[in-house]
Amino acid sequence: MVTKQEFDLASKSAPSNLMAFLPKMISYKSYIQKAVLDIASRQELQDVCDSRINQGMIDKLCKLAKNEWLLSGDAQSLYCAAMSVATIVKEYDWGTQYLVGDGLYEIAKRIQNS
């Protein structure tokens, strides 16, 4: 398990190490966006279309992100996985709460516990 302190360190180092973080985030996000289509229910997909937040769908996104994070299991990869899920949630028009404050760490915990 990655601690909050380790996660915060990875988060703070991301802007200065963008060339290391960005390709991983893009890769994770692409994988998650495609893979979720195979496991989402009709209702979950409709909720995406209707911009209605669906926690079950977020759980599925986190489970898929965990598959990618576990390849390395480090704080940097968890940050990238969490950022990928949070930006997908934002793109679904479900809000930005996971991109601000402790929201990103909340997603990171959900990924680790999924």
Side-chain angles (χ1 to χ4, degrees):
M1 291 289 270
V2 174
T3 67
K4 180 155 180 19
Q5 288 176 327
E6 293 168 326
F7 184 81
D8 287 344
L9 284 173
S11 176
K12 288 177 183 165
S13 72
S16 61
N17 293 309
L18 198 56
M19 295 313 289
F21 282 73
L22 194 58
K24 192 177 286 194
M25 283 189 265
I26 291 169
S27 173
Y28 288 1
K29 186 176 176 190
S30 177
Y31 162 74
I32 294 164
Q33 284 179 309
K34 290 175 187 168
V36 77
L37 295 175
D38 294 332
I39 61 172
S41 70
R42 286 183 188 199
Q43 182 60 54
E44 289 166 335
L45 294 174
Q46 188 62 50
D47 287 344
V48 171
C49 290
D50 295 338
S51 300
R52 243 186 340 256
I53 194 162
N54 184 305
Q55 293 299 324
M57 182 71 144
I58 294 173
D59 288 339
K60 288 179 179 180
L61 294 169
C62 289
K63 188 160 184 63
L64 291 168
K66 184 175 185 173
N67 294 339
E68 293 298 294
W69 167 63
L70 284 177
L71 296 174
S72 68
D74 62 16
Q76 178 183 356
S77 296
L78 182 59
Y79 172 81
C80 292
M83 185 60 81
S84 298
V85 170
T87 56
I88 292 168
V89 168
K90 179 186 171 288
E91 288 176 4
Y92 287 173
D93 287 328
W94 289 353
T96 59
Q97 67 274 18
Y98 298 118
L99 289 169
V100 297
D102 284 335
L104 197 58
Y105 184 66
E106 181 183 328
I107 288 292
K109 288 190 304 187
R110 285 174 78 167
I111 290 169
Q112 291 185 98
N113 294 325
S114 66

